[in-house]
Amino acid sequence: MLGSMMDMPLLVSNILRHAARHHGDAEIVSRRVEGDIHRYTYADLFRRAGQLADALTREGVRPGDRVATLAWNGYRHMELYYGVAGMGAVIHTINPRLHPDQIAWIINHAGDVHLAFDLSFLPIAQAIADKCPTVRSWIAMVDADRQPAAAIERLTNYEQFIAGGSTDYQWPEFDENTAMGLCYTSGTTGHPKGALYSHRSTVLHAYGAALPDAMGASARDCILPVVPMFHVNAWGLPFSCPLVGAKMVMPGAQLDGKSLYELFEAEGVTFSAGVPTVWLGLLQHVAQNKLRFSTLQRTVVGGSACPPAMLRTFREDYGVEVIHAWGMTEMSPLGTLCRLQNKHLKQSDEAQSKVLEKQGHAIFGVDMKIVDDENHELPWDGKTFGNLLVRGPWVIREYFKGEGGDPLIPDAQGKGWFPTGDVATIDADGYMQITDRSKDVIKSGGEWISSIDLENLAIAHPAVANAAVIGVPHPKWDERPLLVVVKKPGAEVTREELLKFYEGKVAKWWLPDDVLFVDAIPLGATGKILKTKLREQFQDYKLPQNDGA
Ligand code: AMP
C-alpha cells in the first residue's frame, strides 16, 4: 500500500520561493569584484533569478543544458545557481584555480552552452574562448557600463543578458531526480570526473546540513561562506541559508585575513565555513593585531584535517566553536560533522577537545563503514583503521557520462557503497576520524603511519606555520615519513628540536626520518596540500643513513 501524502517534488526553486516568502527581507551582502559592497534581499534574489531563468529560456537554453560559472561568492553567482537549476538546466561551477587548459578540457567535456565569469577571470576567458566551441556566450558578471573591451567573440554582460527576461517567471515543476548541478573533482591524477547532483539530493543535503548537530543554521544567523561556491556548492550553504532564512555575507575575491575580519565585524557574522589554510591567515591577522571577534560564534572547518592547535586557538583564545567537518565532491559534499553529545559535556576540556578533533558523526542520510582490503567490515573501536565506504541519497552513484565505469563496491546484500579513498577509524559512539588519504598513508614495515597525525603535531609547534608529511622509499621498511616544514616569519627551530617535539606523543617508529625546511608547501586548487607535487619535488631525496626503526 502506498502512503497518501502529496507527491510534491523536492526542487531547489522551492527553497528560494520559501526564502522570498518567509524571509523576504533577510539580506545578502556581497563584496563585489569591483570593490564595493552590494546589498539586497531574498525577495530580490528570487525576482532576479527568475529573470535570469526566463532570459536563458529565451536564449534557447533547454532543460539538461549545462551553464558554467567561473566566479567568486556573490549575489550574481546565487542568481545563477537558482536561475539555471530552477529552469531545469544544470549549473556547472568550475574551479578557476585550475590550469586554463584543464578548465577548457572541463568545459568541452561538460558541453557548456553559456559561461558566466567574474572580471577577475577575464584572462582565463580570453585564453580559452577559442578552444570552447560549445559556449554560445561569455557573460561578464558586471553592470552593463563595465563590460570589458576584450577580444572575445560572443561577449556580453550579465545585466544586459538578464534584461530580456521577465521578472514574473513561472518556475516549472518537474521530476526531483532531474540533474541540477555539476562539479568536477580536483583530479590530482588523470582528467577530473564530474559529480552530477540532482534537485532531490541537493534539497535533502540542504536539510541535513542545517540540522542543529550538523551546521545548526538558523534565521538568527549571519553566515559568511568562505568556502567558494566553485568548490562543491560552498558545502551546500547557498541552499541551507535560504532554507532557514539566514542572512548571507559573500566575501568575493578578498579571502585574506584582514578583509575577512573586517567583513565579519561590519556585518555581524555569527557563523562561517572554510578550509584550514584560510583560517590560518585569519588567525594570524587577528593575533598580530590583538583583535577579538565580537559576533562570531562558530565556524565549520573542513576540506582537509583541522589541526588540533587551530581548534584550541579558536576555542580557548577566542571563544569560537569549531565544527570539524568531512566530506567530498562525490558527497554533495557533507558526510560528517563533529558536535559534542550530552555525555561529553560532563567531561574535561581536554577530553572534549579530543572528541572535537575527530571528523565527527554521520548526518542522517549518510551511512558509513570501514573495511579492510578484502572488503571485510572492521570494528568501530576508535583504533582499527580501514577504507571508508559510504552510501546515501546525496552520495554519487556514477560519474558524469559514466566516466571510469561503476565506482561502487557491493556488499553481501548487493547494495553499492562508494569508496571514499580515505582511511579512517570509527569509535563506539560513531565518531569517525580520518587517518589519511589511502594514497598518502605511509606504509612502513607492513604497518601504517598517519601523515595527518604527524602534520597536526608539527603544526602545534610554535615556530611552525605549515607542515606536510610524505612517505619516501626506504630499502628495509618500504616507506618512511619525511617532514616538510614552513617556519613562521621570524621564528627559528631546528630539525632536532622538531623531532624531540614528537617524543612521547607518537610511537617511536612513527618519528619522521628527516625534516626539511622549505619556503612554501604546494597547495592545490581547493587549498589542500598537493602531496603528489611534494612527492615529485622530493623524488630524488635520499634519507639520512639509518635503519628507520
Ligand atoms: P574534495 O572532493 O576536493 O572536497 O576532497 C575530498 C577529500 O578531502 C576527502 O576525501 C578527504 O580526503 C579530504 N577531506 C575533506 N575534509 C576533511 C577533513 N575534515 N579531514 C581530513 N580530510 C578531509
Side-chain angles (χ1 to χ4, degrees):
M1 193 193 311
L2 292 178
S4 47
M5 294 294 124
M6 284 186 196
D7 189 13
M8 185 178 141
L10 301 173
L11 301 178
V12 297
S13 52
N14 288 334
I15 295 182
L16 192 56
R17 180 183 288 116
H18 172 84
R21 277 201 190 142
H22 299 276
H23 306 279
D25 59 355
E27 273 187 307
I28 300 174
V29 180
S30 310
R31 181 179 266 155
R32 306 204 301 174
V33 174
E34 294 92 314
D36 56 350
I37 296 278
H38 172 275
R39 287 173 190 279
Y40 76 176
T41 63
Y42 282 127
D44 299 320
L45 169 60
F46 184 57
R47 195 172 28 80
R48 288 199 14 125
Q51 208 178 348
L52 170 65
D54 195 48
L56 289 167
T57 312
R58 288 169 198 237
E59 279 293 324
V61 174
R62 306 257 70 89
D65 282 350
R66 275 77 62 206
V67 174
T69 60
L70 278 169
W72 299 108
N73 294 4
Y75 66 104
R76 288 192 179 112
H77 209 174
M78 286 291 282
E79 292 167 13
L80 281 149
Y81 263 50
Y82 282 97
V84 172
M87 64 160 291
V90 177
I91 176 81
H92 173 202
T93 51
I94 306 177
N95 188 336
R97 295 185 183 131
L98 295 171
H99 188 277
D101 288 346
Q102 205 169 17
I103 294 178
W105 185 92
I106 289 176
I107 293 170
N108 290 324
H109 188 265
D112 297 323
V113 296
H114 294 280
L115 188 144
F117 62 95
D118 266 331
L119 267 196
S120 1
F121 307 122
L122 178 64
I124 303 180
Q126 269 174 312
I128 63 174
D130 287 346
K131 299 179 193 155
C132 302
T134 57
V135 178
R136 301 204 288 265
S137 67
W138 296 81
I139 308 167
M141 291 162 69
V142 280
D143 294 341
D145 58 356
R146 297 221 190 187
Q147 179 173 322
I152 301 179
E153 262 186 69
R154 310 181 301 278
L155 178 69
T156 180
N157 67 74
Y158 186 85
E159 295 305 325
Q160 187 179 328
F161 190 88
I162 70 167
S166 155
T167 49
D168 189 26
Y169 178 69
Q170 297 305 306
W171 296 88
E173 197 164 281
F174 42 78
D175 185 338
E176 64 186 21
N177 288 301
T178 303
M180 60 67 61
L182 178 63
C183 186
Y184 280 70
T185 56
S186 5
T188 43
T189 50
H191 282 306
K193 296 200 280 286
L196 187 64
Y197 312 113
S198 68
H199 283 261
R200 173 185 155 82
S201 69
T202 305
V203 173
L204 291 176
H205 180 271
Y207 271 120
L211 285 171
D213 284 326
M215 290 192 176
S218 114
R220 293 173 298 285
D221 273 316
C222 172
I223 300 184
L224 186 150
V226 184
V227 51
M229 290 170 73
F230 56 74
H231 183 204
V232 221
N233 302 328
W235 299 347
L237 285 169
F239 303 106
S240 292
C241 291
L243 184 135
V244 300
K247 172 179 171 181
M248 295 187 84
V249 181
M250 301 297 218
Q254 285 161 265
L255 303 180
D256 60 285
K258 180 170 184 288
S259 308
L260 284 177
Y261 179 80
E262 284 169 5
L263 211 47
F264 277 33
E265 292 298 306
E267 296 300 327
V269 171
T270 56
F271 175 78
S272 190
V275 295
T277 39
V278 162
W279 300 131
L280 278 178
L282 179 72
L283 287 174
Q284 262 169 23
H285 171 77
V286 172
Q288 271 160 12
N289 297 285
K290 303 197 170 37
L291 302 167
R292 309 290 309 164
F293 294 105
S294 49
T295 54
L296 186 65
Q297 293 163 5
R298 57 199 196 287
T299 184
V300 175
V301 181
S304 45
C306 174
M310 176 179 287
L311 199 142
R312 270 197 297 278
T313 307
F314 264 125
R315 204 164 171 233
E316 290 164 19
D317 300 353
Y318 300 106
V320 174
E321 183 189 353
V322 167
I323 306 171
H324 197 186
W326 166 85
M328 56 196 312
T329 308
E330 289 88 338
M331 298 178 70
S332 306
L334 293 175
T336 64
L337 291 103
C338 201
R339 306 298 291 267
L340 296 177
Q341 295 176 350
N342 242 340
K343 62 177 150 195
H344 302 123
L345 301 181
K346 302 184 202 90
Q347 298 175 354
S348 67
D349 266 8
E350 191 53 33
Q352 291 187 3
S353 290
K354 277 276 156 243
V355 176
L356 291 169
E357 285 166 19
K358 301 191 175 201
Q359 277 75 3
H361 231 254
I363 314 174
F364 170 70
V366 173
D367 201 1
M368 61 185 184
K369 64 178 179 181
I370 43 175
V371 296
D372 63 16
D373 288 340
E374 279 75 49
N375 201 20
H376 298 125
E377 200 164 342
L378 295 170
W380 289 23
D381 58 11
K383 290 192 205 78
T384 312
F385 319 167
N387 301 316
L388 181 63
L389 270 48
V390 290
R391 61 194 311 270
W394 58 79
V395 177
I396 198 165
R397 184 182 67 236
E398 60 172 3
Y399 288 97
F400 183 47
K401 298 187 175 170
E403 292 295 348
D406 180 1
L408 305 188
I409 299 178
D411 63 14
Q413 286 82 43
K415 291 188 198 127
W417 290 76
F418 179 75
T420 62
D422 287 323
V423 176
T425 61
I426 306 178
D427 69 19
D429 294 325
Y431 284 76
M432 184 275 285
Q433 184 156 28
I434 299 278
T435 351
D436 239 318
R437 279 304 283 166
S438 53
K439 304 191 282 295
D440 297 338
V441 76
I442 297 151
K443 300 191 172 104
S444 176
E447 301 281 350
W448 288 0
I449 299 175
S450 158
S451 65
I452 294 184
D453 281 2
L454 294 179
E455 286 158 7
N456 283 343
L457 284 168
I459 291 169
H461 190 285
V464 173
N466 206 357
V469 173
I470 52 170
V472 287
H474 187 280
K476 176 165 172 195
W477 300 107
D478 203 13
E479 277 184 345
R480 291 294 306 157
L482 170 68
L483 170 64
V484 183
V485 168
V486 181
K487 285 187 245 182
K488 283 194 183 145
E492 271 316 320
V493 61
T494 63
R495 169 186 189 277
E496 285 63 36
E497 282 163 349
L498 275 178
L499 291 178
K500 193 142 184 51
F501 190 66
Y502 279 109
E503 276 177 21
K505 300 184 177 110
V506 289
K508 196 161 172 288
W509 63 275
W510 276 41
L511 282 187
D513 276 29
D514 204 3
V515 182
L516 295 181
F517 295 97
V518 294
D519 293 336
I521 287 177
L523 298 181
T526 51
K528 295 178 217 247
I529 294 176
L530 265 187
K531 297 257 172 114
T532 40
K533 220 12 181 307
L534 264 188
R535 281 192 284 263
E536 257 168 53
Q537 204 171 324
F538 294 108
Q539 62 186 353
D540 298 325
Y541 164 82
K542 293 268 172 303
L543 282 171
Q545 290 299 310
N546 65 29
D547 72 358

